[in-house]
Amino acid sequence: MRLEKTQRQAGATGPVVLAIFVHSGSLKSNPLLAWVPADLTVLLGVLLIVLMFAEIIRTGYIARAIWLPLMIAATMLLGVSAIQTAYGADKAASFFTITMLAIVGAVILLHEDRQRRAFLGALAGLGAVVALLVSIAPERTAEWSEVVTLAGTNTISTSQMIVAGAVILGVYAVAGRRSAFLRIIAALSSGLMFLCALGTGARGPIVAVAISIAIALLVAPAFSRRRARSIIAICLIGGIGLFLALQQGGEGLSRVLGFLAGEQDTSTTARTVLWSTAWHHITQLPLGGGWGYFGTIPELSVNAVNGGQAYPHSVPLEIALEAGWVTGLFFAILVLVSFVRLVRRAYDPATVMFLVLLVFTVTNALLSGDINDNRLMWVLIAAAWVMPARPIRGTEGAVRRDGMSRAGAARSAIS
């Protein structure tokens, strides 16, 4: 008979709240959430803290990966002493509160498989809801434009939320182990969501998802025995989606196709100037200029328009410029090692989804947003450090401590 007390099963509420929390900045201005009595990010943050403490009480353990947010915070602090602007202070305050809370939340709330699956499910559901809202009640970026977005946010954030959900459903359709019917439904839903994302005209997320899927197909062990079939399936789904998109047409698709064809517009030209300027100043500031420094560079006319609230639209450049070479190098190494960890663990659909999402969000961070706009990237980096290694064949019952709670790893039955 069983003599040891069985630990209470991990709940899904914490991971679901975390998934919504990382996108709360893009959601809280939506008119449908006008009834919320306070700032959505603050409310979800408080709830997330409560759920984190509840998880610690449930397990009686904090994963060893807690060193990760501490190291991230320590290196990012190198950009605090030289802050010169209110924007820089606000950016740093947001990172060390909201973004750091998301990173710590990933370490505490994503260390068990059921929790990670709930997190992925919430991201997929959120992407589907956003796609539905954009389809039935779109907001146009201008009266003369056909480009659409979710009311209350911009086209890039809208596309990122939709594409993240589409990626999860697409990977499930290709690598899932459930019934063929569910996988077909997932494939159709993923395709429709990608079509909706094309309507936003945001180029970065589309390019990023193509790169992330290609890398996952090439390196993930989950595809080792069916790599050719998976590539054919992805190409087939993508081809059908592209055909439907071409039939539908639209300004958003035209912008994406023009970008892929190498056409230069105001956006791409501006980014080229921002990146080259950031790199020039990085070479002159090994200790960094302090958070918000980019907004003080006089040769950038965009800073006068934005009141100094400018950033390079590339997170690695932003970190190296404003927090210094040491922090920039740490970030680059952290991303690389996190990627390698996920590749070594990508034997099942859920871990493959995390791998694809990590590459997707990192590629996005290279092209747009600042350190706080890319919170999902930080969460995925942290998640890579709480996932256990793949059990050796024949030792599935062995104790695994990498990212697992001690109480969970100690479960056993004695007859």
Side-chain angles (χ1 to χ4, degrees), residues 296-353:
T296 66
I297 298 177
E299 60 261 39
L300 291 177
S301 59
V302 68
N303 292 342
V305 177
N306 295 333
Q309 297 187 18
Y311 46 88
H313 284 266
S314 175
V315 168
L317 292 179
E318 178 186 11
I319 292 175
L321 171 64
E322 300 186 349
W325 293 2
V326 171
T327 307
L329 181 61
F330 170 78
F331 174 76
I333 294 174
L334 177 62
V335 169
L336 178 61
V337 177
S338 300
F339 169 75
V340 173
R341 285 179 64 89
L342 280 179
V343 169
R344 291 179 175 178
R345 288 156 173 77
Y347 284 92
D348 62 89
T351 313
V352 172
M353 292 174 192

Side-chain angles (χ1 to χ4, degrees), residues 36-58:
V36 178
D39 187 281
L40 181 65
T41 301
V42 174
L43 289 177
L44 291 176
V46 172
L47 179 57
L48 191 62
I49 293 173
V50 173
L51 292 170
M52 287 163 56
F53 277 108
E55 179 66 13
I56 294 173
I57 293 172
R58 182 186 73 87

